[in-house]
């Protein structure tokens, strides 16, 4: 019988959502409040919608990366700030310039 391998994302912290958040905090890419909002959101989606660890990682990395287009932290986000961020993303360049 073939060996059953554990879920890669549940057993490998190097690629987990927590690691993405901690690295983004170290780089100053997100605030502690941003980290809290992201964590609360992904925890809620995991509990209520049953999303996988892979989906949690994807949502986390997307929200962390998307934060660079926002002029305000997630906690202070308004519709106007969101619209401005969408325009900045559409007209922006990649991180390397």
């Amino acid at each position: 019988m073939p060996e059953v391998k554990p879920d890669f994302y549940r057993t490998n912290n190097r690629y987990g959502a927590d690691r993405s958040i901690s690295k983004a905090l170290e780089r100053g890419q997100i605030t502690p409040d941003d980290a809290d909002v992201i964590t609360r959101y992904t925890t809620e989606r995991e509990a209520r919608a049953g999303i996988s660890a892979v989906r949690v990682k994807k949502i986390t990395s997307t929200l962390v990366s998307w934060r660079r287009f926002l002029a305000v932290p997630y906690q202070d986000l308004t519709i106007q700030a969101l619209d401005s961020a969408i325009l900045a993303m559409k007209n922006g360049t990649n991180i390397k310039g």
Side-chain angles (χ1 to χ4, degrees):
M1 181 171 248
E3 177 185 348
V4 176
K5 296 186 179 185
D7 182 2
F8 178 81
Y9 287 97
R10 291 231 185 258
T11 60
N12 193 329
N13 290 335
R14 181 176 179 198
Y15 300 101
D18 292 338
R19 172 93 177 201
S20 292
I21 288 175
S22 64
K23 286 292 192 183
L25 283 167
E26 286 174 17
R27 289 189 301 264
Q29 192 174 355
I30 62 173
T31 67
D33 285 340
D34 290 333
D36 183 52
V37 169
I38 292 167
T39 302
R40 283 187 290 136
Y41 176 72
T42 55
T43 300
E44 183 269 335
R45 298 306 300 153
E46 233 178 336
R48 295 180 188 224
I51 62 174
S52 68
V54 175
R55 180 61 54 194
V56 169
K57 169 64 174 140
K58 173 65 176 163
I59 292 170
T60 300
S61 65
T62 299
L63 291 173
V64 165
S65 297
W66 210 74
R67 177 62 178 84
R68 74 184 177 108
F69 297 106
L70 295 169
V72 297
Y74 280 119
Q75 198 124 359
D76 301 330
L77 193 59
T78 63
I79 294 297
Q80 182 179 0
L82 181 62
D83 289 341
S84 294
I86 291 169
L87 289 174
M89 182 182 67
K90 287 181 178 179
N91 297 323
T93 58
N94 66 23
I95 294 175
K96 295 178 183 177

